[in-house]
Amino acid sequence: MSDFPQKVVLSDNRRLTLREIDPADMLDLIEAAGSAINGASASAWLGYAEMICSVTAIDGVPVQMPQTKDEIRELARRVGKAGIAALTPLFERDADEDLRDVAKN
């Protein structure tokens, strides 16, 4: 995500501070996911969790990287529908760019 924004203002005027999830963070997410990644919905769950865990602060208040499935769920509640609505296009755009890169090679 070369143009991944560091901050997003939501429709409810909250501000999210973001960062790209690195490979080590992704391994932590997989570990935290536990049984959630065993099944047909594993890819969707991890993609959604990656989006949620990219949030490092809400209204300037730091957010810890979740370590468990319950902590990921709690952060999702804090991010809320407005946050998901703002984050989804950023991650869909990244997925589209990844597909274009694969097609080039």
Side-chain angles (χ1 to χ4, degrees):
M1 285 190 219
S2 59
D3 59 348
F4 193 73
Q6 292 184 340
K7 295 188 182 208
V8 174
V9 178
L10 307 181
S11 62
D12 60 8
N13 290 322
R14 290 183 299 142
R15 288 169 171 64
L16 302 182
T17 304
L18 310 173
R19 73 175 176 87
E20 287 186 72
I21 299 293
D22 66 26
D25 293 329
M26 186 54 77
L27 289 173
D28 291 341
L29 274 179
I30 292 167
E31 185 176 347
S35 63
I37 60 169
N38 293 328
S41 63
S43 179
W45 194 95
L46 279 174
Y48 206 73
E50 179 183 7
M51 182 172 56
I52 291 162
C53 293
S54 71
V55 176
T56 61
I58 301 173
D59 289 332
V61 179
V63 171
Q64 292 285 96
M65 177 72 168
Q67 299 298 307
T68 67
K69 194 165 56 171
D70 287 339
E71 289 176 0
I72 294 168
R73 186 178 295 114
E74 180 56 33
L75 179 55
R77 285 188 178 106
R78 291 180 60 201
V79 168
K81 288 183 179 184
I84 297 301
L87 293 173
T88 298
L90 300 175
F91 283 82
E92 286 175 350
R93 181 179 64 216
D94 181 50
D96 290 344
E97 289 173 5
D98 289 347
L99 287 175
R100 281 193 296 273
D101 289 343
V102 168
K104 287 180 190 177
N105 296 325

